[in-house]
Amino acid sequence: MPDRGIDPAFEKGSAYVDGTIVPIEEAKVPLLDWGFLRSDACQETISVWDGSFFRLSDHLDRFHRSIQRLRMDTAPVERADVLRVAHELVAACGFRDAYVQIIMTRGRPPIGSRDLRLCSNRFQAFCMPYMWVADPKKQETGMALHISRRVRVPAQSVDPLVKHYHWLDFEMGLLEAYENGADTVVLSDLNGNITEGPGFNVFAVIDGSLRTPSSGMLDGMTRRTVMELCSELNVAVVEENISFERFLKASEIFLTTTAGGIIPVSSVNGTTVGSGGVGEQTRRIHHSYWHKRSNGWYGEPVVYTHKASSVRKSH
Ligand SMILES: Cc1ncc(COP(=O)(O)O)c(C=O)c1O
């Protein structure tokens, strides 16, 4: 822990619940909140690296979009308030590298009613130490990917541009991946095209070109960042449908996520990708991403002196 006079109760993280910042282990959601009972919620996950938020403003824009698409009330999430809470959460635990999640839940209707229009939507948030889909050591060898025949919840049913918690398909797919000796999973759409995985988007070099799915997935912030990076590096990216069969022929594959950046993949369904190590394009994009981030690219420094009036003192 950095020496910032941090209350030890916040060593594992902080949470913002009902207008108060509390140690993360003490944070609770009400049983009757439809965020819990119905997965009726949206969220945004933002990274803090070396003391700076990454693309904070873009994340707030996407959060706002999710809230509007779920037809929730934007009043509990005034931009200035969400910004303040984000800074205060990180300041409360003093982390230099952190994982901040801001969440809007439907709330609950009055007892006896099932009318979601009567719910008061609730804003909550938490901060934990930075989390990796694959840590830097694992990134050197690459992840083993399992492509499941399980279908990602279709866009016709649940809008993939809302960053939501409909993850039972991913979770059952993950169990399938583990049973097959893989580290993680990617799901397809109803037409057999690759979509995304639990917390990440997918890129692949196929027939010499870098490609990424064009529909059925979240427009991840890291995906967007990679597109911008590729444009700077003069690497063309094709957004298109990628069938399971074509994906298996990729010479390079990487995953993109706030929780780890650019994650190389070394095998798919037990077959080695390319020559098995980290591919040339992947290495270049990975290097460029972290190099730029360490130079403050899209960074907004955390105000560590931002001591929340709302922090609850531990006893
Ligand atoms: C379903 C899904 N797809 C993609 C991503 C990657 O998005 P980002 O790069 O914004 O982290 C996430 C992130 O959690 C996700 O949940």
Side-chain angles (χ1 to χ4, degrees):
M1 286 291 289
D3 181 17
R4 296 176 190 280
I6 301 298
D7 182 337
F10 288 89
E11 222 165 64
K12 292 194 176 151
S14 53
Y16 177 83
V17 185
D18 289 334
T20 307
I21 291 185
V22 296
I24 191 148
E25 304 264 33
E26 293 178 22
K28 295 186 174 68
V29 290
L31 181 66
L32 296 182
D33 191 315
W34 282 16
F36 173 63
L37 291 180
R38 306 256 162 110
S39 286
D40 189 348
C42 60
Q43 59 109 341
E44 201 54 47
T45 302
I46 310 150
S47 67
V48 171
W49 191 253
D50 198 16
S52 284
F53 286 103
F54 186 60
R55 303 195 78 143
L56 181 56
S57 176
D58 293 328
H59 278 289
L60 295 192
D61 288 344
R62 194 172 67 174
F63 189 46
H64 200 78
R65 183 187 74 186
S66 290
I67 289 167
Q68 284 185 317
R69 286 183 174 234
L70 290 183
R71 298 171 64 181
M72 287 180 177
D73 181 8
T74 52
V77 282
E78 283 288 336
R79 200 174 176 93
D81 293 334
V82 178
L83 263 176
R84 177 183 52 79
V85 168
H87 280 274
E88 288 180 358
L89 279 171
V90 186
C93 32
F95 298 152
R96 298 286 301 169
D97 305 323
Y99 179 95
V100 175
Q101 194 160 117
I102 53 179
I103 306 157
M104 188 74 149
T105 62
R106 184 71 63 186
R108 47 159 275 208
I111 300 278
S113 169
R114 288 163 68 96
D115 187 340
L116 76 169
R117 294 167 303 179
L118 301 179
C119 294
S120 296
N121 308 149
R122 300 175 74 239
F123 172 61
Q124 292 134 104
F126 65 83
C127 170
M128 296 197 303
Y130 188 75
M131 212 161 9
W132 302 90
V133 163
D135 65 23
K137 201 163 163 38
K138 183 77 189 169
Q139 289 181 28
E140 283 167 24
T141 50
M143 290 191 97
L145 195 64
H146 177 71
I147 311 297
S148 175
R149 286 295 188 176
R150 186 179 289 274
V151 170
R152 176 64 173 143
V153 58
Q156 292 88 339
S157 305
V158 178
D159 183 351
L161 295 180
V162 172
K163 193 161 158 58
H164 56 70
Y165 290 120
H166 287 266
W167 270 44
L168 279 181
D169 46 5
F170 284 149
E171 300 210 341
M172 295 305 106
L174 265 177
L175 291 176
E176 196 183 301
Y178 298 151
E179 277 157 18
N180 283 278
D183 300 310
T184 192
V185 69
V186 162
L187 304 185
S188 310
D189 66 14
L190 286 166
N191 300 315
N193 295 313
I194 299 297
T195 61
E196 59 187 346
F200 54 80
N201 291 109
V202 181
F203 285 75
V205 178
I206 304 169
D207 298 331
S209 299
L210 186 59
R211 300 166 198 270
T212 191
S214 52
S215 62
M217 73 303 148
L218 178 73
D219 54 342
M221 201 58 74
T222 324
R223 178 184 185 273
R224 189 192 301 182
T225 304
V226 165
M227 305 285 237
E228 293 173 8
L229 211 49
C230 284
S231 153
E232 280 178 29
L233 295 170
N234 276 324
V235 174
V237 185
V238 184
E239 293 178 76
E240 61 177 8
N241 288 332
I242 305 173
S243 68
F244 171 79
E245 290 73 19
R246 276 181 78 219
F247 194 70
L248 283 179
K249 294 191 183 130
S251 55
E252 290 185 38
I253 296 176
F254 61 86
L255 318 176
T256 61
T257 169
T258 292
I262 319 297
I263 315 271
V265 169
S266 52
S267 69
V268 176
N269 288 11
T271 303
T272 302
V273 176
S275 50
V278 179
E280 197 186 311
Q281 301 260 38
T282 308
R283 193 176 291 286
R284 193 165 162 226
I285 293 165
H286 183 283
H287 172 79
S288 176
Y289 174 85
W290 284 108
H291 179 69
K292 285 176 78 91
R293 279 201 69 171
S294 62
N295 286 329
W297 188 42
Y298 279 125
E300 176 173 329
V302 173
V303 183
Y304 284 98
T305 48
H306 216 321
K307 282 291 167 240
S309 49
S310 48
V311 171
R312 197 176 82 205
K313 291 270 164 271
S314 64
H315 306 293

